[in-house]
């Protein structure tokens, strides 16, 4: 089928988006629209003595100004995860108000909102708000947070939690008898998500229905709507959230930004629609960042290179305020540590610290890149100590097919995969055995060549939330697939249409994916954790099964089948219900039309159906092999070869999956080579507050990617699919750093491996030899 499952169908939404027909929140226009701007503190930590709005309030165009006193009635932004430290104590909270009434806790925190007739007037007045601060010493770096001044009085050592899991006694015993013990300290550098579209929104109040409506880019309307309702002390049905087109999310747009709740308050207070369009500087200062973890890992092995145990001690920077998932990322995100290897014993301890920096939350991979990075870097260290080929040490430890389902240290039941086949195919594709020849050729040109390998493994699925889908047939002949997930660049409109086209046999162009409006009444887990296809896609499959069964019953009556069986068949002409042994048949559109004009008893809603799906995690996995050349005179890196063998289960659309892998590797490459969000350690000022200082990868720095798929269907959902959205990021970090370290001839270079760092490592090695 041309548009069916497995076909590389071009994204149907792209023509609209690339020709300027997209509808992002900044494209929306409303009668009487006014604009909001925020006064932000220049201090990382300070007591608020007084806020003087008199001068700002008298400026041209100003409609009103909200200060902390005006919104003291609102609730706290929720952190409602059940989370305990290893001693059984509760998580130390970071009670975030919409506007802080006592202290500011990071540079860029909003302290007042100005609403004015134009954006320029609002910005001018926001700058005229006078705030008297008493500056305080700031806690900035995670490595010194425990001895720094407290961000919160109830956390004098800045410790939010001290979490541990695993079998500490078994790990200690394994390390005591190990023939080989290796350790490594690594840095997960802090990352700015930097989506193409910054945050923003329009708040509207309808006095007739006492309804607040928020237009804003999210990764799932219902979830963010619930957070808005919570902080505004409202029932959920008094808030409607509409997500238009979204210009990238990467985890950051799954949380509630205080600015969005504040513009809703402004809309109700001033009875005008209020727009806030975040500027890039605001995005750098106040958006949730990612990563920022210091990790100390150890691995114990026997003399033949078989893993006996792993243990980890890490410290995570949470920022001044936690999001609803903040504590989970550096802790429960470690559930994939150990990867697809047989690891008899694991123990992990994680301390989460408050600092006077903006929130650290989800970023592409959310804990799994950290877990696989430490695992794979330890494997490289062990290979070096035991004088084993880096492929061989991995091969010796891989879970074998006859050991599936395999339960890992966190209880994940790995149901499917052919790990050795992926490793071997990657090695052949990358021509691993002929590397020495390429290395000599590079040396003849004065370059140093290195190679890195990583075997990534992840648990995709995000929150354990029931995912709903509704299939509806409209009067104009369209088939609506209503979902609670939210595309923000993944191609949902196309992939979900392929599923409907394949299963129901309706024209591809007749399928309309409806998403983004909480008024549709669907509440699911949103688009996080690479979960959309395995959850919403599976629910969609179930709903269409029900459509077909319902259609058979209706067709049997309309076609007067009597006792004869009615079958549903699909061919190049579409899907039809057919009375077996006769030529009597009716297509789905024809049956829908008949039922609409003359409904049968029990078919008042025609063939419309709904379903839900509770998806356990799926386990994408695969092998990345990277080759680099390093210029020893400058430390610059060129990625010469990059091979990916992916098992993402059944591939619904290889073109879209390729795009997801490309995007994931691009973001991983950025973290590995250049992206580094830095704060001044004394003042807490953000040093990398623009793209002049915070470097993103360019197209000419991306290598050609050789991506191939080994489709091993997942056994826990009807589609057989596994997540693909974060796989590229998870796999590429250790592959790139492994290759650079190999080229430089050193055990490890921390991310980002900038030219300066590489040049210094090479220089230090030369000086040590001399």
């Amino acid at each position: 089928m041309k548009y069916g499952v497995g076909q590389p169908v071009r994204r149907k939404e792209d023509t609209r988006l690339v020709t300027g027909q997209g509808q992002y929140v900044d494209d929306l226009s409303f009668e009487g629209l006014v604009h909001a701007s925020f006064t932000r503190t220049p201090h990382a930590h300070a007591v608020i003595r007084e806020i003087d709005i008199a001068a700002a309030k008298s400026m041209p165009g100003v409609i009103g100004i909200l200060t902390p006193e005006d919104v003291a009635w609102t609730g706290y932004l929720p952190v409602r995860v059940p989370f305990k430290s290893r001693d059984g104590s509760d998580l130390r909270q970071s009670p975030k108000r919409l506007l802080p009434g006592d202290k500011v806790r990071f540079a860029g925190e909003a302290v007042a909102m100005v609403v004015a007739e134009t954006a320029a007037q609002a910005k001018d007045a926001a700058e005229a708000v006078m705030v008297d601060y008493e500056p305080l010493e700031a806690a900035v770096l995670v490595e010194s947070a425990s001895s720094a001044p407290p961000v919160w009085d109830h956390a004098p050592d800045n410790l939010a939690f001290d979490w541990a899991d695993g079998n500490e006694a078994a790990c200690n015993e394994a390390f005591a008898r190990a023939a080989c013990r290796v350790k490594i300290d690594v840095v997960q550098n802090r990352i700015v998500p930097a989506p193409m579209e910054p945050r923003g929104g329009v708040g509207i109040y309808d006095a007739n229905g006492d309804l607040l409506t928020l237009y804003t880019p999210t990764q799932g309307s219902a979830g963010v709507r619930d957070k808005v309702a919570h902080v505004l002390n409202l029932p959920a049905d008094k808030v409607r959230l509409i997500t238009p087109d979204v210009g990238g999310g990467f985890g950051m747009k799954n949380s509630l930004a205080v600015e969005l709740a504040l513009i809703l308050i402004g809309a109700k207070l001033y009875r005008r629609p209020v727009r806030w369009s975040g500027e890039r500087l605001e995005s750098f200062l106040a958006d949730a960042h990612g990563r920022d973890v210091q990790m100390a890992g150890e691995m114990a092995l026997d003399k033949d290179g078989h893993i006996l145990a792993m243990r980890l001690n890490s410290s995570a920077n949470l920022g001044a305020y936690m999001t609803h998932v903040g504590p989970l990322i550096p802790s429960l995100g470690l559930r994939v540590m150990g990867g697809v290897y047989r690891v008899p014993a694991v123990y992990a301890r994680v301390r989460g610290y408050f600092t006077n920096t903006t929130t650290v939350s989800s970023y592409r991979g959310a804990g799994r890149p950290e877990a696989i990075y430490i695992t794979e870097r330890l494997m490289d260290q062990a290979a070096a100590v035991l004088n084993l080929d880096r492929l061989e040490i991995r091969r010796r430890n891989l879970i074998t097919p006859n050991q599936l389902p395999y339960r890992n240290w966190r209880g994940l039941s790995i149901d499917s995969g052919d790990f050795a086949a992926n490793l071997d195919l990657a090695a052949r594709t990358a021509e691993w055995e002929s590397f020495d020849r390429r290395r000599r050729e590079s040396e003849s040109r004065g370059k140093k060549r290195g190679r890195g390998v990583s075997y990534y493994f992840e648990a995709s699925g995000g929150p354990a939330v029931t995912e709903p889908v509704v299939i509806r047939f409209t009067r104009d002949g369209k088939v609506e697939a209503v979902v609670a997930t939210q595309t923000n660049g993944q191609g949902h409109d196309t992939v979900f249409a392929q599923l409907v086209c394949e299963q129901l046999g309706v024209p591809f162009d007749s399928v309309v994916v409806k998403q983004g409006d909480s008024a549709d009444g669907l509440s699911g887990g949103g688009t996080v954790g690479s979960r959309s296809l395995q959850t919403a896609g599976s629910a969609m499959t179930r709903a269409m099964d029900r459509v077909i069964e319902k259609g058979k019953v209706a067709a049997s009556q309309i076609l007067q089948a009597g006792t004869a069986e009615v079958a549903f068949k699909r061919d190049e002409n579409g899907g039809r219900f057919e009375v077996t042994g006769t030529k009597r048949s009716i297509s789905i559109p024809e049956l829908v039309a008949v039922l609409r004009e003359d409904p049968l008893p029990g078919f008042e809603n025609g063939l419309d159906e709904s379903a839900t799906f509770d998806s356990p995690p799926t386990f994408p996995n695969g092998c990345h092999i990277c080759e680099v050349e390093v210029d020893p005179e400058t430390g610059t890196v060129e990625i010469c070869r990059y091979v990916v063998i992916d098992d993402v289960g059944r591939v619904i659309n290889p073109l879209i999956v390729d795009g997801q892998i490309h995007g994931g590797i691009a973001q991983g490459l950025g973290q590995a080579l250049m992206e580094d969000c830095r704060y001044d350690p004394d003042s807490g000022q953000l040093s990398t507050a623009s793209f002049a200082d915070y470097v993103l990868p360019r197209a000419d720095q991306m290598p050609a990617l050789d991506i191939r798929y080994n489709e091993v269907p997942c056994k826990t959902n009807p589609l057989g699919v596994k997540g693909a959205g974060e796989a590229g990021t998870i796999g590429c970090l250790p592959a790139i750093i492994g290759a650079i370290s190999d080229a430089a001839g050193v055990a490890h270079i921390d991310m980002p491996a900038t030219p300066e760092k590489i040049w210094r490592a090479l220089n230090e090695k030369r000086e040590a030899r001399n």
Side-chain angles (χ1 to χ4, degrees):
M1 185 178 291
K2 181 179 179 182
Y3 294 106
V5 168
Q7 298 302 311
V9 179
R10 290 188 177 276
R11 301 196 330 173
K12 64 190 304 183
E13 55 267 56
D14 281 356
T15 299
R16 177 175 62 85
L17 296 176
V18 302
T19 57
Q21 302 305 304
Q23 283 285 297
Y24 297 91
V25 71
D26 253 16
D27 295 316
L28 305 177
S29 180
F30 300 91
E31 185 178 352
L33 184 71
V34 294
H35 298 265
S37 185
F38 291 88
T39 303
R40 298 185 182 275
T41 178
H43 299 285
H45 198 195
V47 173
I48 301 173
R49 286 176 168 168
E50 184 182 6
I51 300 178
D52 183 355
I53 63 172
K57 202 168 185 178
S58 64
M59 293 179 69
V62 172
I63 295 167
I65 300 176
L66 293 180
T67 65
E69 184 179 354
D70 299 315
V71 295
W73 55 269
T74 59
Y76 297 105
L77 266 66
V79 180
R80 291 179 285 183
V81 294
F83 195 94
K84 298 283 187 182
S85 285
R86 64 194 185 102
D87 63 0
S89 61
D90 289 332
L91 175 74
R92 289 173 173 172
Q93 293 284 343
S94 53
K96 182 173 179 57
R97 291 285 194 183
L98 295 183
L99 295 173
D102 55 349
K103 293 180 180 178
V104 290
R105 290 179 169 86
F106 68 90
E109 185 171 9
V111 295
M113 180 181 78
V114 175
V115 177
E117 293 290 347
T118 70
Q121 289 171 335
K123 188 173 182 178
D124 287 344
E127 292 176 353
V129 172
M130 303 301 294
V131 185
D132 183 16
Y133 296 103
E134 178 187 339
L136 302 173
E137 192 177 346
V140 180
L141 304 178
V142 67
E143 52 264 42
S144 57
S146 62
S147 58
V151 178
W152 296 96
D153 292 341
H154 59 269
D157 50 4
N158 285 316
L159 188 69
F161 63 81
D162 183 354
W163 174 92
D165 200 4
N167 192 329
E168 186 176 16
C171 271
N172 292 341
E173 187 275 330
F175 272 87
R177 63 183 168 85
C180 173
R181 291 180 289 274
V182 296
K183 62 182 180 179
I184 191 170
D185 295 343
V186 304
V187 172
Q188 281 284 336
N189 40 320
R190 191 177 182 119
I191 299 298
V192 175
M196 186 176 294
E197 177 196 32
R199 290 178 300 138
V202 176
I204 298 174
Y205 177 64
D206 178 4
N208 293 327
D210 191 27
L211 178 69
L212 289 167
T213 299
L214 176 64
Y215 292 83
T216 188
T218 74
Q219 294 175 226
S221 291
V224 179
R225 181 273 317 272
D226 291 346
K227 297 180 183 72
V228 172
H230 170 83
V231 78
L232 296 182
N233 302 318
L234 292 172
D237 63 3
K238 289 299 181 181
V239 180
R240 180 184 182 187
L241 197 148
I242 299 174
T243 297
D245 288 323
V246 183
F250 313 126
M252 180 264 289
K253 288 179 182 171
N254 192 44
S255 300
L256 172 62
V258 296
E259 296 89 346
L260 302 176
L262 287 164
I263 61 173
L264 283 174
I265 294 172
K268 184 173 183 178
L269 188 61
Y270 307 123
R271 296 299 200 266
R272 301 272 295 273
V274 180
R275 181 198 298 282
W276 170 63
S277 299
E279 297 182 352
R280 188 58 66 180
L281 176 59
E282 292 179 290
S283 184
F284 272 97
L285 290 171
D287 283 355
H289 294 167
R291 314 284 195 247
D292 203 349
V293 186
Q294 307 275 331
M295 310 180 81
E298 298 177 273
M299 182 177 283
L301 305 95
D302 66 17
K303 62 181 177 61
D304 297 316
H306 298 114
I307 301 171
L308 302 176
M310 274 187 70
R311 59 190 177 198
L312 172 72
N313 198 325
S314 71
S315 299
N317 192 339
L318 304 174
Y321 303 99
M322 292 181 288
T323 67
H324 65 294
V325 294
L328 303 181
I329 295 162
S331 55
L332 299 186
L334 295 174
R335 62 184 179 162
V336 300
M337 192 169 72
V340 293
Y341 307 122
R342 301 183 302 275
V343 186
V346 176
Y347 179 72
R349 182 179 178 185
V350 181
R351 297 173 181 86
Y353 289 101
F354 296 119
T355 63
N356 292 114
T357 64
T358 192
T359 298
V360 179
S361 190
S362 303
Y363 177 69
R364 202 167 191 165
R368 285 101 74 203
E370 295 92 316
I372 295 304
Y373 186 69
I374 193 69
T375 301
E376 291 299 299
R377 295 305 293 132
L378 282 168
M379 291 297 279
D380 282 354
Q381 307 308 305
V385 170
L386 292 167
N387 197 28
L388 286 173
D389 178 84
R390 282 173 284 168
L391 289 182
E392 179 58 27
I393 195 170
R394 288 168 169 82
R395 191 177 288 112
R396 291 184 187 186
N397 287 284
L398 288 173
I399 300 164
T400 60
N402 63 2
Q403 292 174 313
L404 298 175
Y406 182 91
R407 192 169 293 276
N408 86 341
W409 73 286
R410 281 286 300 166
L412 295 177
S413 183
I414 305 168
D415 65 291
S416 58
D418 193 351
F419 314 125
N422 294 338
L423 187 74
D424 292 341
L425 178 56
R428 291 195 302 273
T429 306
E431 300 179 291
W432 184 269
E433 297 300 328
S434 61
F435 172 75
D436 285 343
R437 173 178 54 80
R438 295 190 295 278
R439 173 173 269 174
R440 288 192 296 271
E441 193 277 329
S442 295
E443 288 172 347
S444 71
R445 294 183 284 104
K447 302 294 179 66
K448 292 185 175 293
R449 196 177 190 100
R451 60 181 172 178
V453 57
S454 74
Y455 201 110
Y456 85 87
F457 164 73
E458 81 135 320
S460 67
V465 175
T466 298
E467 198 64 33
V469 166
V470 174
I471 298 293
R472 293 197 296 238
F473 297 86
T474 65
R475 286 190 174 274
D476 60 356
K478 302 292 186 183
V479 183
E480 288 184 346
V482 189
V483 298
T485 54
Q486 178 64 53
T487 188
N488 42 99
Q490 296 89 344
H492 291 185
D493 289 6
T494 301
V495 173
F496 288 150
Q498 285 181 262
L499 295 182
V500 176
C501 176
E502 172 89 8
Q503 193 164 347
L504 296 184
V506 296
F508 177 74
D509 290 333
S510 74
V511 182
V512 177
V513 177
K514 284 200 68 181
Q515 58 192 328
D517 189 345
S518 65
D520 286 329
L522 300 188
S523 183
T527 293
V528 296
S530 305
R531 69 185 297 274
S532 296
L533 186 57
Q534 69 194 53
T535 55
S538 295
M540 195 172 295
T541 298
R542 282 186 173 178
M544 290 187 290
D545 286 340
R546 294 177 180 177
V547 168
I548 291 170
E549 291 306 309
K550 192 175 183 181
K552 287 179 181 178
V553 175
S556 177
Q557 298 181 49
I558 290 169
L559 297 175
Q560 300 179 347
T563 59
E565 180 184 357
V566 172
F568 182 70
K569 297 182 177 180
R570 294 175 296 272
D571 56 27
E572 65 276 4
N573 297 316
R576 302 185 70 81
F577 296 97
E578 182 180 288
V579 180
T580 303
T582 74
K583 294 185 178 180
R584 282 174 287 160
S585 69
I586 188 169
S587 70
I588 284 185
E590 291 168 341
L591 181 56
V592 168
V594 170
L595 292 173
R596 179 167 287 119
E597 295 304 317
D598 189 11
L600 295 172
F603 290 86
E604 290 77 9
N605 293 321
L607 296 185
D608 294 358
E609 267 296 349
S610 63
T612 61
F613 189 73
D614 297 303
S615 177
T618 66
F619 304 106
N621 64 91
C623 186
H624 290 220
I625 294 179
C626 172
E627 285 190 21
V628 302
E629 273 191 348
V630 172
D631 184 338
E633 298 302 317
T634 63
T636 54
V637 174
E638 179 186 357
I639 299 177
C640 309
R641 286 183 164 209
Y642 204 104
V643 168
V644 181
I645 307 300
D646 263 323
D647 170 13
V648 293
R650 187 183 182 201
V651 176
I652 304 299
N653 185 320
L655 194 63
I656 285 178
V657 176
D658 279 355
Q660 288 290 289
I661 304 304
H662 276 253
I665 290 174
Q667 287 187 283
L669 179 150
Q671 180 179 355
L673 296 182
M674 59 200 71
E675 294 186 53
D676 196 15
C677 178
R678 303 294 291 270
Y679 285 85
D680 180 88
D682 296 320
S683 68
Q685 294 297 312
L686 184 62
S687 304
T688 52
S690 76
F691 290 133
D693 301 300
Y694 186 88
V695 184
L696 290 179
R698 302 188 307 266
D700 63 350
Q701 292 166 316
M702 272 292 289
L705 302 178
D706 188 344
I707 302 173
R708 307 184 188 192
Y709 301 103
N710 179 19
E711 298 183 43
V712 181
C714 175
K715 298 178 181 179
T716 58
N717 65 69
L719 291 172
V721 297
K722 304 171 186 177
E726 292 156 304
T729 304
I730 297 168
C732 84
L733 298 179
I736 292 175
I737 293 300
I740 292 171
S741 300
D742 182 46
V746 297
H748 179 69
I749 293 177
D750 265 325
M751 300 186 291
T754 60
E756 180 188 1
K757 275 188 190 174
I758 297 168
W759 181 86
R760 288 186 182 278
L762 289 166
N763 226 32
E764 288 169 6
K765 187 178 179 184
R766 282 193 294 265
E767 289 175 358
R769 281 201 305 266
N770 296 333

